[in-house]
Amino acid sequence: MTNKINNIRKRSPWATCKVALCSLFVLTTFLTSCSDFLQIEPKEIIVLDKYWDEEADVEGVVAGCYSSMQTQSVISRMMVWGEFRSDNIVGGRNYENDIQIANIFKENINASNTYAKWGDFYNVINRCNIVLKYAPEVAQKDPSYTPSKLNATIAEVSALRDLMYFYLIRSFCDVPYITEPYLDDNQQMDIPASSFDDVLTSLIEDLESKQSMAVKRYPLTQTYYQRGRITQDAIHALLADLYLWKQDYANVVRYADMVINAKLDEYETEMRKRMSSANGGNELIDGYPLISDAYTTGNYYGTAFEGIFGSGNSSESIFELIFMNDDDMLANGAVSSLYGNATTFPGLARPADFIGTDVSDESFNIFLSKYDVRFYENLQPVQGQSNTYGINKYVTSSAMVDLSKAEIQSSYSSPYADGKCHSNWIIYRLTDVMLMKAEALVEMSPEGEDEYSKQQADTLLRQAFSIVNAINKRSNCSKEDKNLVWDMYSSKSSMRNLVLEERQRELMFEGKRWYDLVRRSRRDGNTSYLVGTVSRKGTSGSGALSSKLSRMEAIYWPYHIDELKVNGNLKQNPAFGSGEDSSIVPH
């Protein structure tokens, strides 16, 4: 393979966006196993047209698309963009020494903050665009690269590209939308940003036209492909998410049901074969194929946590970035750096104090009772520091909740060593999609006072409630009735809040919370709910924070100053002024 590859020019001296668009990474060794596809680190080079001769060439570059998503710079932005401005997280150990992170926690973000750089996401986009350009030519040369294989490739890399754009618009709102590969310095790349709505519509149209071409199931021999590569399930989950932001709730339900039904089919197939899940007892909970969190003894919980976040590649997973449990292979550097490791725990980021004391002081602003095992699994007490917690999810491989004593106790495996985190980074999993459906059902419920509207609303709200109840029940370790009480959530407003609160409990620290708050703000047309939740962190200058975030534009990120220098067609987010030193400008 390597004799086909030529380094045809040096990196352009452009800013981050354009530099990233210039480069393409491909594998320089033959792929020997399914794990290799998702793990071998790529070499930075440019590919000539003559490289594209056979199917293996295409697979090598597709592998590079995944490898570029596994980099610390990409995953760290998924974490920072999706969590760090939310009410979930505050500054942790020595965070003041990282001025970029410290300013994010202070909501003192300006156009020079390094996390406002988006170049690594456009790097992935460009790789995908290159595959889409050259793969059809390979199909004409290599008879074994059949039309169905070509179509599967097109669907796969299109979904990866669309996922990257989805992160960008949720973070920056309006972004340059590019569907042609950057291969030549003479190409025009300083294009204006397309609007959030236009990009969102384009992503949906792209996936709608290609979702049926994607691989539905990979062979069992390819252990990590079904969760570690894009499949029809992953595209359907992404479409459900895209439609949720478009406020097309009927299509959210349609695609969420496709994912849920596919998971049910997997479950039934496994039961027919009398196969048990490799990650613990897999059982139906109120009709959903969720992994039971309880060990067989009934006095211990932590099975689902270990399966989903420790071992990874669980039956509930839809798409995750795979990091093998091998110290000689690529590690999840973003988690190790930001959430902590054996040396730095609790890391640069830690749970907000009001979350850490939510159970002990019985305030229950987040968790509904002391019996929610997610409190004990997601958070780990910091030894020697009273009421201080670190983030346990992703940082360790297991958490054990012990009910055999008078008080609930928890124990944890040691945090991964520095630079040796093997936790997969989960993009979509089943409960995430279930809660997308619940949110859509709530928003679909009519608010009329006539009898028909009331009946319709009751039906839809009860359906949403049953989803939340099933997810909550899985994590309830009480010996008593584990069901939520319908009468407490029977109105549309209370159900709307319940779904969003359940998403916070279930998906905490997974890069979802800030985006949930942004989506709520877009639907409400104001930032009141977002400001109210973020203010709970109680960080210094909360009054100024509320003033800054009162502007709708301020819930997004500024364009980095380097992007503005090289692309004169970009117009800075008005909430951030126009220069390097301009942070959020309040009303």
Side-chain angles (χ1 to χ4, degrees):
M1 183 180 292
T2 55
N3 63 358
K4 298 180 180 180
I5 302 172
N6 297 276
N7 192 351
I8 62 175
R9 59 183 156 107
K10 302 292 185 182
R11 281 169 65 101
S12 164
W14 286 11
T16 53
C17 176
K18 200 165 182 180
V19 169
L21 289 168
C22 290
S23 62
L24 171 69
F25 299 121
V26 296
L27 300 180
T28 58
T29 55
F30 287 102
L31 304 174
T32 58
S33 72
C34 61
S35 62
D36 285 339
F37 181 94
L38 300 169
Q39 287 293 312
I40 296 177
E41 291 214 52
K43 180 180 178 181
E44 184 178 358
I45 46 185
I46 299 295
V47 182
L48 289 174
D49 291 2
K50 68 180 183 180
Y51 168 79
W52 301 85
D53 289 333
E54 57 190 11
E55 180 182 357
D57 299 337
V58 178
E59 281 285 280
V61 184
V62 172
C65 295
Y66 287 97
S67 293
S68 61
M69 288 176 62
Q70 288 180 295
T71 60
Q72 182 171 335
S73 58
V74 169
I75 296 181
S76 65
R77 280 166 176 75
M78 291 179 176
M79 297 167 71
V80 170
W81 293 349
E83 287 287 346
F84 280 32
R85 297 174 70 184
S86 79
D87 52 336
N88 279 349
I89 289 179
V90 296
R93 180 175 178 176
N94 298 325
Y95 80 97
E96 300 93 343
N97 296 336
D98 188 324
I99 189 62
Q100 310 293 339
I101 292 292
N103 280 335
I104 293 169
F105 287 130
K106 296 173 184 176
E107 203 60 46
N108 187 29
I109 301 169
N110 61 33
S112 63
N113 191 295
T114 189
Y115 287 98
K117 291 185 175 182
W118 59 24
D120 292 291
F121 281 70
Y122 276 105
N123 176 29
V124 181
I125 289 167
N126 194 51
R127 294 167 187 249
C128 295
N129 285 338
I130 290 173
V131 174
L132 292 172
K133 175 180 174 62
Y134 285 106
E137 297 179 12
V138 174
Q140 296 177 358
K141 300 175 185 178
D142 183 358
S144 65
Y145 192 39
T146 62
S148 61
K149 290 181 178 179
L150 170 63
N151 287 339
T153 298
I154 290 172
E156 181 175 19
V157 295
S158 295
L160 289 176
R161 179 184 67 184
D162 294 340
L163 177 64
M164 294 296 96
Y165 274 124
F166 191 33
Y167 272 103
L168 288 170
I169 61 173
R170 286 180 295 173
S171 303
F172 295 91
C173 194
D174 302 341
V175 301
Y177 183 62
I178 304 163
T179 58
E180 293 296 324
Y182 178 80
L183 298 168
D184 190 325
D185 278 330
N186 294 321
Q187 285 179 249
Q188 181 73 18
M189 298 303 294
D190 52 341
I191 64 174
S194 297
S195 73
F196 180 103
D197 291 330
D198 286 348
V199 176
L200 182 64
T201 298
S202 295
L203 302 183
I204 290 173
E205 291 175 348
D206 187 44
L207 290 178
E208 285 281 15
S209 67
K210 296 170 181 173
Q211 48 101 0
S212 63
M213 303 179 341
V215 171
K216 185 174 179 63
R217 291 285 179 271
Y218 280 99
L220 292 176
T221 53
Q222 295 175 311
T223 310
Y224 299 101
Y225 276 31
Q226 190 62 32
R227 322 295 186 202
R229 293 185 69 168
I230 291 291
T231 60
Q232 283 189 20
D233 288 348
I235 293 178
H236 294 159
L238 178 53
L239 275 167
D241 209 355
L242 291 166
Y243 276 121
L244 192 60
W245 284 74
K246 194 174 178 63
Q247 299 179 32
D248 182 344
Y249 300 117
N251 274 316
V252 177
V253 172
R254 180 163 72 97
Y255 279 107
D257 278 342
M258 289 183 186
V259 174
I260 294 167
N261 290 334
K263 289 297 183 184
L264 281 168
D265 288 344
E266 283 185 29
Y267 169 82
E268 291 169 359
T269 299
E270 289 183 0
M271 292 302 102
R272 283 196 299 268
K273 294 179 179 179
R274 299 194 176 190
M275 294 173 60
S276 62
S277 169
N279 298 298
N282 198 15
E283 63 182 36
L284 291 178
I285 298 179
D286 290 354
Y288 294 99
L290 303 178
I291 302 171
S292 173
D293 204 42
Y295 285 87
T296 54
T297 62
N299 283 326
Y300 299 92
Y301 276 68
T303 305
F305 180 88
E306 182 177 353
I308 296 169
F309 303 106
S311 303
N313 202 42
S314 75
S315 60
E316 289 189 31
S317 173
I318 299 166
F319 178 52
E320 56 192 60
L321 300 176
I322 305 289
F323 293 91
M324 305 299 293
N325 189 19
D326 184 339
D327 285 348
D328 293 328
M329 301 189 79
L330 183 66
N332 193 334
V335 167
S336 187
S337 172
L338 296 175
Y339 285 178
N341 53 63
T343 304
T344 65
F345 189 82
L348 286 172
R350 64 177 179 83
D353 290 335
F354 82 98
I355 296 177
T357 60
D358 194 45
V359 169
S360 60
D361 64 12
E362 298 185 343
S363 57
F364 301 124
N365 290 311
I366 302 297
F367 301 95
L368 297 178
S369 78
K370 68 177 183 179
Y371 297 107
D372 192 327
V373 296
R374 290 171 296 192
F375 169 80
Y376 309 96
E377 294 169 342
N378 294 348
L379 285 68
Q380 181 180 158
V382 178
Q383 292 185 359
Q385 298 184 37
S386 177
N387 289 329
T388 300
Y389 289 78
I391 296 169
N392 187 66
K393 184 183 284 188
Y394 290 126
V395 175
T396 73
S397 61
S398 65
M400 174 78 74
V401 181
D402 184 355
L403 309 179
S404 63
K405 309 293 192 301
E407 295 293 330
I408 299 174
Q409 298 182 0
S410 55
S411 59
Y412 309 88
S413 57
S414 298
Y416 291 107
D418 186 9
K420 301 296 183 182
C421 178
H422 303 303
S423 293
N424 297 346
W425 184 254
I426 299 173
I427 307 294
Y428 287 117
R429 58 189 181 95
L430 179 57
T431 52
D432 185 4
V433 176
M434 290 168 61
L435 289 167
M436 292 181 201
K437 178 181 177 181
E439 184 173 331
L441 289 168
V442 171
E443 298 308 319
M444 290 170 65
S445 63
E447 298 183 88
E449 292 299 319
D450 59 284
E451 194 61 32
Y452 177 78
S453 295
K454 289 181 179 180
Q455 290 177 355
Q456 284 292 100
D458 184 74
T459 299
L460 293 169
L461 293 176
R462 284 182 182 274
Q463 290 176 13
F465 176 81
S466 69
I467 292 172
V468 175
N469 189 49
I471 295 170
N472 199 277
K473 183 185 294 187
R474 187 258 294 274
S475 296
N476 189 323
C477 65
S478 171
K479 303 295 185 183
E480 307 299 327
D481 184 3
K482 300 181 180 183
N483 290 296
L484 301 177
V485 179
W486 159 252
D487 289 344
M488 294 178 61
Y489 306 104
S490 57
S491 70
K492 183 171 183 175
S493 60
S494 60
M495 270 304 304
R496 178 183 284 135
N497 290 337
L498 176 66
V499 171
L500 197 54
E501 290 160 4
E502 185 65 20
R503 284 186 63 84
Q504 182 176 22
R505 290 187 285 269
E506 177 69 12
L507 305 172
M508 188 171 285
F509 314 133
E510 296 182 44
K512 305 283 184 176
R513 178 60 174 171
W514 182 256
Y515 292 141
D516 285 350
L517 297 176
V518 171
R519 185 175 64 256
R520 171 74 179 254
S521 295
R522 288 178 60 89
R523 187 172 61 230
D524 292 348
N526 61 72
T527 65
S528 297
Y529 186 88
L530 179 148
V531 168
T533 58
V534 174
S535 296
R536 295 189 297 183
K537 291 198 292 189
T539 52
S540 60
S542 58
L545 180 148
S546 298
S547 178
K548 290 177 179 179
L549 291 177
S550 64
R551 299 185 63 169
M552 284 291 290
E553 302 98 325
I555 63 180
Y556 301 102
W557 283 72
Y559 299 137
H560 194 272
I561 191 69
D562 290 345
E563 310 301 342
L564 296 172
K565 289 177 180 177
V566 299
N567 186 349
N569 287 310
L570 281 181
K571 305 302 180 185
Q572 183 61 283
N573 181 334
F576 295 88
S578 59
E580 183 175 359
D581 298 325
S582 297
S583 56
I584 296 178
V585 180
H587 278 303

